[in-house]
Amino acid sequence: MMINSNDNSRKSEHYTTAIVGAGFTGLFTALHLCHHNYSRPTVLIDPKERFVFKPLLYEVLSGEMEVDQVLPRYEELLDCGNITYIQGSVEEIDLQKRQLKLSSGLGYSYENLVLGLGSVASYFGIEGAKENTLAFRDGEDAIALRNHLRQRLQLATQTEDEMIRNQLLTVAVVGAGPSGIEIASTLADWLPEWYRQLGGNPSEVRVIILDMVSEILTGDINVHLREKAQAALKQRVVPVEVQLEAKVSRVSPQYVEYQQNNQQQKLATETVIWTAGNAVHPLSKTLQISSEQRDKQSRLRVTPTLQLREFPEVFVGGDSAVLDEALPPTAQVAYQQGIAIANNLMALAANEPLEPSQIKLRGTLLKLGLEVAAANLFERFLIAGQPAHLIRQGTYLELLPTPIHNFKATVDWIMDEIFNDHAPPSPSKQKVSR
């Protein structure tokens, strides 16, 4: 059921369980409760109309997948009589009174609360960064970036001024983490072909990564894939240029400034994509939680059962939560935490003991161009190229909350080849029917 928060006829309502934020943690909590016929009235609140399956957002940008496949509507996903979906923004949470207030004026009370707020972009106070860069966090961002790039390529085909054309055809990606690597490698394959179809010279397209770190994927779970990522960036249709130890200091509509080797540099570009950092959701910062129960990034400390120590009726997962054991802020962690929270909510309803969440990291997957990827499976097998692409696609499509494709046979087949032979499939076995 879907209710638009602009309908002010509903002034207040009580729910046994309230879920705020419908990202991986929140949505998979709701879906797991739905699939197990959780009998208690539940409300799921999120400002967006569609779920964002972020790992496949690059495929939406490049046109490899359709919007409805990667960004399904919540009202289509939640076909449960006991779960109500509210499209709206929560602006205040009173943990003492167990009440929620939405920006529309609607109010809800709860017995148990699930927080899956996720994170927001951090611009580190850099001048012009928020105003003059393009985000890549949801479907609206992907469509906006696609339209922006189309316009720049079309303008480039119609100008005789080489300096202006170079500016139009230069794309800067700020951030050398996994998001920066994935979007840069995707664009470096896709944009040249798109520009060629418009009558342009593909070799004129430039994709540049800027980051203040000394190596790509620094401090990230994908660090084991660094070597393969570095090689792949050089092998794209246009090689991705990587400028490290480059500290961005200013972004304008026509250029980005950065410091490198004690010198001020200026890169002429009208396209700067920001993937440089995340911050805790602002709503999480307003919660009446003692400073001892937050880490240095203001994330909420939770127990092994994913509860707040000061408010055990509140469960937290995803980017907003921190356990004693550090976990990467990835989709596979967030959705497993959502399932763990749902299991504990059902245990509460049955007066059974709660269980600690058990997160199993199967490995990491990194998109490195069109139909090219790298995979680190169980920290034992490093795979690159087409086989890794098939594993990545199969893994994510199987995880999608709507059965748009059946890739299970593909995934099982590839996994059998890898784990039985301890090597990637031979070329003669790589043709997989899709």
Side-chain angles (χ1 to χ4, degrees), residues 3 5-12 106:
I3 298 176
S5 65
N6 291 324
D7 178 7
N8 287 314
S9 63
R10 294 168 62 94
K11 297 301 181 184
S12 65
L106 295 177

Side-chain angles (χ1 to χ4, degrees), residues 212-224:
M212 63 186 295
V213 299
S214 58
E215 293 185 282
I216 66 172
L217 301 174
T218 296
D220 187 78
I221 190 175
N222 291 282
V223 66
H224 301 297

Side-chain angles (χ1 to χ4, degrees), residues 184-240:
S185 56
T186 299
L187 292 176
D189 273 352
W190 171 55
L191 286 181
E193 175 59 22
W194 203 6
Y195 190 48
R196 184 192 65 77
Q197 292 175 7
L198 294 172
N201 180 359
S203 65
E204 293 182 317
V205 174
R206 294 180 70 195
V207 180
I208 304 170
I209 292 175
L210 301 170
D211 203 316
M212 63 186 295
V213 299
S214 58
E215 293 185 282
I216 66 172
L217 301 174
T218 296
D220 187 78
I221 190 175
N222 291 282
V223 66
H224 301 297
L225 299 176
R226 177 184 288 154
E227 207 172 296
K228 294 190 180 298
Q230 288 172 330
L233 291 174
K234 297 175 183 177
Q235 296 166 357
R236 308 290 27 95
V237 174
V238 292
V240 177

Side-chain angles (χ1 to χ4, degrees), residues 385-415:
Q386 182 86 7
H389 163 71
L390 291 173
I391 291 172
R392 179 181 177 274
Q393 290 293 91
T395 299
Y396 286 148
L397 290 176
E398 195 175 14
L399 181 59
L400 270 171
T402 177
I404 60 166
H405 290 294
N406 181 7
F407 261 60
K408 190 176 188 305
T410 301
V411 178
D412 289 347
W413 179 83
I414 296 174
M415 289 295 189

